[in-house]
Amino acid sequence: MSWAKKKVTIKMVADQANVSKTTISRYLNGKYEFMSEETRERIEKAIEALNYHPNQIARGLKSKKSGTIGMIVADITTPFSSILVKGVNDICLGEGYQLMIANSDEDPRKEEEYIRSMLTRQIEGLVINSTGYNDDLIQQLRNEGIFVTYAERRPLNGQIDTVTIDNEHIIKYVLDKLYGSGFEEVAFFSQTINKNATRQIRKEIFQRMTCERGGDAEALFFQIDQEAFSYDKAIMGYLQENPQRSKAVITGNGVAMLDFLRACRRQNIEIPDQVGLCGFDDWGWTELVGAGISAIAQPTYEIGARAAEILIGRIHSGIDYKDPIEIELKAQFVERGSTQIILK
Amino acid sequence: MSWAKKKVTIKMVADQANVSKTTISRYLNGKYEFMSEETRERIEKAIEALNYHPNQIARGLKSKKSGTIGMIVADITTPFSSILVKGVNDICLGEGYQLMIANSDEDPRKEEEYIRSMLTRQIEGLVINSTGYNDDLIQQLRNEGIFVTYAERRPLNGQIDTVTIDNEHIIKYVLDKLYGSGFEEVAFFSQTINKNATRQIRKEIFQRMTCERGGDAEALFFQIDQEAFSYDKAIMGYLQENPQRSKAVITGNGVAMLDFLRACRRQNIEIPDQVGLCGFDDWGWTELVGAGISAIAQPTYEIGARAAEILIGRIHSGIDYKDPIEIELKAQFVERGSTQIILK
DNA sequence: CTGAAAGCGCTAACAC
DNA sequence: GTGTTAGCGCTTTCAG
């Protein structure tokens, strides 16, 4: 980089201001008590004149504080992830941290690679929307002085700070609502569960509550793999059983909702005439489809923001903890046309 | 962090393997020619035994290579930005770079703050989807040895690498299509332009082509501010002029399309019966709204990927350039029901 | 109030 | 083949 102007260092500022590097360093760290008014001003001028910006990398090497936080999301292309990122990013800006972000693409191997890469780059903490396959490695980070907060997907086991939503409460609310308004069968359509804790938890809650109502918890839960037309098959299968009953579906997240709607369109299934629908995640377009799609609006931004706050709090305190913080934020049901029952 | 295990350093590995730090360093950098087969194995064992991972921060301090790239997007919550991020992220993974990401929120002050913050953290390059207000600062980075690539939004002036789409070509294509199929007036609805180069360019192209067809280039271009019901007013105003003519609208990006559709719904405007619609950006839900929304699918992922490739290429070459690389990728028109003209 | 000196963890001449 | 030495840019004792 021969064409690059030499970067200005603390040494050059020291020379310019006619003091030692130490004093400049003190200045940079706001320890003004240790210098005369006059030197302070001289330093200020020198920094200004040279357009000096301290090298955070060098500072971090000595102080062991990189000032960066890592964040790994499972699929950055979903609005869910990007809003989560925004929440974390905003808090980081306020606290002076930079964000190192990676997209695991739901691939545990990539996830591990990113975690290790970020570790070598001395992140001070990690916010993760985890695939669920690297919980052991993540637990290990604790031993290296790295704090971790799980966002939305909790660890399957392990004592780590977590911010999720109150699935129990909102699923109960929606089931009550749907059955209460006359639907006779409510099914749940989930993406492949794998080790995804959120999907696992929603399944468990849905099946337990369905059971309590005397429903067929097994038959009404559909786990749908990412193959072509698998949603088509599932929805057709569901509607063919007990065709005289009025039915509704809850989809487990925004991506499942989109796939479900596409399948309905291909199969000419009318909503809510033939099947009611309530989805998790309320993204901008839900009101535009048909009579509007009812949805569970997750406080996605807040999940990210709270996770970042907790993480930074831990970093600042710097001490190990025995009791993890576990926060459950409330989700909200937004009612639209897709759950207005059409009586048969 | 009293509870943290002491991090293992190159010194400890050297002691364990009974060689000097230099030799370990050579090993880490793959310079196996400079050591015996036997020491190489000894080092391998020592690293394994101690679970050693080199500190990239320290390496970077000496070598002036942080191994991180910065990326700033204008609004991370739009699918456009997140897909762009994915493109960049994927290339970075392949090339061994970590991504430092920030969301400027279309705020030039935040954008500047992030740029400076990333600079102090020694990013080696920057991919930016810029607000357009910090072009001078960005140009300045070049003097500090930092390469920059603009993604999607080009600099208003300045000689910097850029990846955009071929707006000229696709806008011509869509206008031909719409007028060709019988629409008599085609308007363009854009978000507030400010210094956004893409919006500026689309406006210029649209107006020029409209002019060439003898249309009223001024009246047919709508710049719509982000106030409540401003889309409602614009669309109503457009439809009231020359009501006997069949009309269509092109929206300038995905966000504008969403706002436009919401306004139509509020005003009970039927698409395409009362107005045809073709939007920029083809996100998952377009096919689900009404008879399907026709859209210009931008190669968003490719924009990000190409931008990252170009940037990393520059970093590797390490030399200044006089001629910036300017790439224009092709967008594609996806035809759906919203542009099937209903003859009046 | 201020500075000299010794590192942080790693790399890179330059010797041997 | 391998080690010694001198830093990278900054912080931090420890002396004055």
Side-chain angles (χ1 to χ4, degrees):
Chain A
M1 263 168 258
S2 48
W3 49 282
K5 271 195 296 212
K6 186 105 190 51
K7 272 209 178 114
V8 13
T9 73
I10 200 173
K11 175 75 167 57
M12 301 162 75
V13 180
D15 291 349
Q16 171 95 4
N18 243 295
V19 291
S20 71
K21 292 191 303 175
T22 314
T23 308
I24 306 293
S25 175
R26 289 198 182 105
Y27 175 90
L28 294 177
N29 292 286
K31 297 174 180 167
Y32 305 129
E33 337 65 285
F34 295 118
M35 67 195 72
S36 66
E37 176 76 0
E38 196 249 315
T39 34
R40 202 177 62 65
E41 279 169 9
R42 208 139 32 83
I43 292 173
E44 207 164 325
K45 290 225 179 61
I47 287 178
E48 177 77 16
L50 295 171
N51 187 28
Y52 167 71
H53 297 282
N55 178 333
Q56 294 298 339
I57 294 275
R59 300 181 92 169
L61 184 60
K62 184 74 193 177
S63 64
K64 310 291 201 189
K65 303 206 172 306
S66 62
T68 80
I69 283 176
M71 175 166 190
I72 298 179
V73 294
D75 181 0
I76 186 68
T77 64
T78 67
F80 182 87
S81 291
S82 48
I83 296 170
L84 202 63
V85 167
K86 184 175 187 185
V88 174
N89 180 80
D90 284 356
I91 299 299
C92 285
L93 176 62
E95 300 281 347
Y97 285 90
Q98 262 297 336
L99 249 194
M100 207 155 246
I101 294 189
N103 176 42
S104 71
D105 230 356
E106 300 280 12
D107 178 346
R109 285 191 76 317
K110 281 195 199 171
E111 184 175 62
E112 176 178 349
E113 189 168 346
Y114 283 126
I115 292 173
R116 295 197 186 283
S117 161
M118 287 178 173
L119 273 181
T120 67
R121 285 172 170 87
Q122 314 306 111
I123 53 167
E124 291 185 46
L126 178 67
V127 175
I128 190 164
N129 180 236
S130 145
T131 65
Y133 285 91
N134 286 304
D135 285 356
D136 290 345
L137 172 60
I138 291 167
Q139 185 72 41
Q140 220 178 285
L141 299 194
R142 296 279 309 284
N143 303 326
E144 317 230 351
I146 314 289
F147 290 109
V148 179
T149 304
Y150 279 80
E152 194 259 341
R153 301 181 184 174
R154 60 171 62 245
L156 293 172
N157 44 51
Q159 300 291 297
I160 298 195
D161 297 336
T162 306
V163 181
T164 60
I165 68 156
D166 185 346
N167 287 293
E168 178 90 14
H169 176 271
I170 193 67
I171 291 175
K172 176 167 181 5
Y173 183 90
V174 168
L175 282 176
D176 285 351
K177 190 90 190 172
L178 292 174
Y179 280 114
S181 62
F183 286 104
E184 294 165 293
E185 268 190 8
V186 179
F188 196 107
F189 279 40
S190 167
Q191 290 185 284
T192 315
I193 293 177
N194 291 330
K195 290 207 166 200
N196 183 312
T198 298
R199 294 180 195 165
Q200 182 63 56
I201 286 168
R202 288 179 184 165
K203 172 182 181 180
E204 188 273 316
I205 293 171
F206 170 79
Q207 291 195 324
R208 172 161 43 78
M209 290 179 177
T210 298
C211 234
E212 285 166 11
R213 292 177 171 278
D216 185 342
E218 281 308 316
L220 290 174
F221 185 88
F222 294 79
Q223 181 179 188
I224 301 167
D225 301 326
Q226 217 56 278
E227 288 153 28
F229 301 109
S230 42
Y231 277 86
D232 301 60
K233 283 178 211 141
I235 177 69
M236 294 307 278
Y238 174 46
L239 292 185
Q240 270 152 22
E241 288 292 315
N242 308 313
Q244 79 291 353
R245 316 186 75 173
S246 55
K247 302 180 176 192
V249 165
I250 301 172
T251 47
N253 64 26
V255 176
M257 173 160 70
L258 198 53
D259 285 336
F260 180 86
L261 286 167
R262 286 210 189 95
C264 286
R265 187 160 270 237
R266 279 192 297 264
Q267 303 296 334
N268 290 309
I269 295 170
E270 297 291 333
I271 294 173
D273 309 53
Q274 290 169 263
V275 61
L277 172 63
C278 171
F280 263 91
D281 286 326
D282 188 31
W283 299 332
W285 50 270
T286 36
E287 62 182 273
L288 299 174
V289 176
I293 308 297
S294 299
I296 295 167
Q298 304 199 67
T300 316
Y301 180 88
E302 287 72 28
I303 296 176
R306 295 287 283 126
E309 282 168 3
I310 290 172
L311 184 70
I312 292 173
R314 294 292 197 195
I315 292 171
H316 285 164
S317 93
I319 48 177
D320 196 9
Y321 56 88
K322 54 271 127 246
D323 300 316
I325 299 171
E326 301 198 346
I327 293 193
E328 292 197 339
L329 301 173
K330 293 282 180 238
Q332 213 152 5
F333 177 66
V334 181
E335 190 164 16
R336 299 198 184 90
S338 71
T339 47
Q340 300 301 123
I341 192 168
I342 312 289
L343 292 172
K344 293 209 174 189
Chain B
M1 261 167 260
S2 49
W3 49 280
K5 273 195 294 210
K6 185 106 191 49
K7 272 207 178 115
V8 14
T9 73
I10 201 173
K11 176 75 166 58
M12 302 163 75
V13 180
D15 291 349
Q16 171 93 6
N18 243 297
V19 291
S20 73
K21 293 190 302 174
T22 311
T23 309
I24 306 293
S25 175
R26 289 198 181 106
Y27 174 90
L28 294 177
N29 292 287
K31 298 173 178 165
Y32 305 128
E33 342 56 290
F34 295 118
M35 67 195 74
S36 66
E37 176 75 2
E38 196 249 314
T39 34
R40 202 178 61 67
E41 280 170 7
R42 208 140 30 84
I43 292 173
E44 207 163 326
K45 289 225 179 60
I47 287 178
E48 177 77 16
L50 295 171
N51 187 28
Y52 167 72
H53 297 283
N55 179 334
Q56 294 297 339
I57 293 276
R59 300 181 94 170
L61 184 59
K62 183 73 193 179
S63 64
K64 310 289 200 190
K65 301 204 172 309
S66 62
T68 80
I69 284 176
M71 174 166 191
I72 297 179
V73 295
D75 181 359
I76 185 68
T77 64
T78 66
F80 182 87
S81 291
S82 48
I83 296 169
L84 202 63
V85 167
K86 184 176 186 184
V88 174
N89 180 80
D90 284 356
I91 299 299
C92 284
L93 176 63
E95 300 281 348
Y97 285 90
Q98 260 300 333
L99 248 195
M100 206 154 247
I101 294 189
N103 177 40
S104 70
D105 230 356
E106 299 280 12
D107 178 346
R109 286 191 75 313
K110 281 194 197 172
E111 185 175 62
E112 176 178 350
E113 189 169 346
Y114 283 125
I115 292 173
R116 294 198 185 283
S117 161
M118 287 178 174
L119 273 181
T120 68
R121 286 172 169 88
Q122 313 305 113
I123 53 167
E124 292 184 46
L126 178 68
V127 174
I128 191 164
N129 180 235
S130 147
T131 64
Y133 285 90
N134 286 304
D135 285 357
D136 290 344
L137 172 60
I138 291 167
Q139 185 73 40
Q140 219 178 286
L141 299 194
R142 296 282 306 286
N143 303 327
E144 318 231 348
I146 314 290
F147 290 109
V148 179
T149 304
Y150 279 80
E152 194 255 344
R153 302 182 184 173
R154 62 172 62 246
L156 293 173
N157 45 50
Q159 300 291 297
I160 299 197
D161 296 337
T162 305
V163 181
T164 60
I165 69 157
D166 185 347
N167 287 294
E168 178 91 14
H169 176 270
I170 193 68
I171 291 175
K172 175 167 183 5
Y173 182 91
V174 168
L175 282 176
D176 285 351
K177 190 89 190 174
L178 291 174
Y179 280 114
S181 62
F183 287 104
E184 294 164 291
E185 269 189 7
V186 180
F188 195 106
F189 279 41
S190 167
Q191 291 185 285
T192 314
I193 293 178
N194 291 330
K195 289 207 166 198
N196 183 313
T198 298
R199 294 180 195 163
Q200 182 64 56
I201 286 167
R202 288 180 184 163
K203 172 182 180 179
E204 188 273 316
I205 294 171
F206 170 80
Q207 291 195 323
R208 172 162 43 77
M209 291 180 176
T210 298
C211 233
E212 286 166 11
R213 291 178 171 278
D216 184 343
E218 281 308 317
L220 289 174
F221 184 87
F222 294 79
Q223 181 178 190
I224 301 167
D225 301 326
Q226 217 56 280
E227 287 152 31
F229 302 109
S230 42
Y231 278 87
D232 301 60
K233 284 177 211 141
I235 177 70
M236 295 307 280
Y238 175 45
L239 292 186
Q240 271 152 20
E241 289 293 315
N242 308 314
Q244 78 293 351
R245 315 185 75 172
S246 54
K247 302 180 176 191
V249 166
I250 300 173
T251 47
N253 64 26
V255 175
M257 174 160 69
L258 198 52
D259 285 336
F260 180 85
L261 286 168
R262 285 210 188 95
C264 286
R265 187 161 270 237
R266 278 192 297 266
Q267 304 296 335
N268 290 309
I269 295 170
E270 297 291 333
I271 295 171
D273 309 53
Q274 292 169 262
V275 61
L277 172 64
C278 171
F280 264 91
D281 285 327
D282 189 31
W283 298 333
W285 50 269
T286 36
E287 61 182 272
L288 299 173
V289 176
I293 308 297
S294 300
I296 295 166
Q298 304 198 68
T300 317
Y301 179 89
E302 287 70 29
I303 295 175
R306 294 288 281 126
E309 282 169 2
I310 290 172
L311 185 70
I312 293 174
R314 294 290 198 196
I315 293 172
H316 285 165
S317 94
I319 47 178
D320 196 9
Y321 56 89
K322 54 270 127 247
D323 300 316
I325 299 170
E326 301 197 349
I327 293 194
E328 293 198 341
L329 301 174
K330 292 282 181 240
Q332 213 154 5
F333 176 66
V334 181
E335 190 165 16
R336 300 200 182 88
S338 72
T339 47
Q340 301 301 123
I341 191 169
I342 311 290
L343 293 174
K344 292 210 171 188

